[in-house]
Amino acid sequence: MNYSFSYRLKVAGLLIVAIGFAISSFSQDTVQTVVAEKGDGILSLLRKQGVNPYEHYDDFVSMNIENLRDSIHLYAGRTYRIPVADLDTVKVVDSIQRKTKEIKKIEGKRYAIFGKDHEMVLPNSEKLKGAVYYLVSGHGGPDPGAMATYGGKSIAEDEYAYDITLRLAKELLSHGATVYIIIRDENDGIRDERILEIDHDEVAYPNKTIPLNQVARLRQRVDIVNKLYKKNRGKYQRLIVTHIDSRSVGQNIDVFFYHHEKSKNGKKLAESIHKTFQKKYKKYQPNRTYSGTFEDRTSLYLVKKTHPAMTFIEVGNIRNKKDQRRILEPDNRQALAKWISEGILLDHKLGEIGPIR
Ligand SMILES: [Zn+2]
């Protein structure tokens, strides 16, 4: 027999064995299933299984994509596969981490602004250490922003923008960033509800009453951000402004990103988040075309007047039925925040501190 032929065969045989082994060792003990009950969402289902929902959300979606409506909703009565991380990366409730032999403590930090159920921030990485983020959610205080009705109840833009902003803040903190939540409501926290009660007690950082007059209201947040920007001079600083849009009733808008036309770093930030959204849509909703865009819009007061490199994000149209479904579902607000945070991480990896803007 020809030597080189048999050698090749042997190599091929080895390869098959190796692949077979890799597959079986991967699937072994790593798949656990659960039947969804009525009212379950992805987050609550994972939480009930003792899995950190924020870390394994993406894994869950890709493992169960064929059993999800719109790639995000569970069907009651169906069986779902639960991603189980290696034991040493599983985070158990609060700050205790279980290992096979030892119990390792994770130093979590509590932030009251996120509310009782969400106040604990567990460290994820140090990727954003030294970076400073200013998060401004649209409107607030006496100004609820765009209003709509859902199931006979009034809903307001500022409450939903705030909830997404808090979720984003939590993500960024978990990666070691310094985060300033500019518009704040001390008693709302992150809310896992569809209808977010409207209130008017939001304040501007640290504790300023928000004026009703539009120009005064915008000037106030610009001044706060620019003052902090000066204080943090020399550091990597970015500003994210989040709104829910309210254009004409029928329009379904996906997500829009704006930046200052002259800001290279603002453009890069907007582009990074935009790219992340495109990728996520391709992965989870391949049949849906993503129609979000990113463009410069220096006409917006905040875009024009603030000093850090920034992006202005509009997530969905609060008056559009399809968009409402996305905004009202707490799991979706979490996914939006997560995707924005991934775009921010991408931007930071390639980023530079930059001059003003
Ligand atoms: Zn708005």
Side-chain angles (χ1 to χ4, degrees), residues 138-139 143-146 157-158 161 242-246 312 314:
H139 312 279
D143 170 25
E157 172 185 0
D158 70 331
T242 308
H243 281 250
I244 317 284
D245 188 58
S246 62
F312 186 107
E314 281 181 339

Side-chain angles (χ1 to χ4, degrees), residues 240-304:
I240 322 284
V241 179
T242 308
H243 281 250
I244 317 284
D245 188 58
S246 62
R247 51 200 79 195
S248 57
V249 176
Q251 217 177 338
N252 167 220
I253 71 153
D254 285 320
V255 184
F256 283 81
F257 304 96
Y258 303 112
H259 62 89
H260 192 289
E261 70 178 324
K262 293 213 176 74
S263 168
K264 191 182 86 184
N265 285 327
K267 182 177 174 198
K268 197 168 66 57
L269 175 64
E271 227 167 11
S272 300
I273 305 174
H274 178 56
K275 265 193 219 144
T276 304
F277 272 73
Q278 280 175 319
K279 251 202 335 235
K280 297 288 181 184
Y281 268 68
K282 235 192 214 152
K283 189 166 161 199
Y284 299 134
Q285 315 198 335
N287 302 322
R288 243 188 96 186
T289 42
Y290 169 74
S291 64
T293 58
F294 100 100
E295 55 190 78
D296 60 87
R297 226 173 100 174
T298 312
S299 57
L300 294 166
Y301 188 88
L302 252 91
V303 176
K304 195 160 64 185

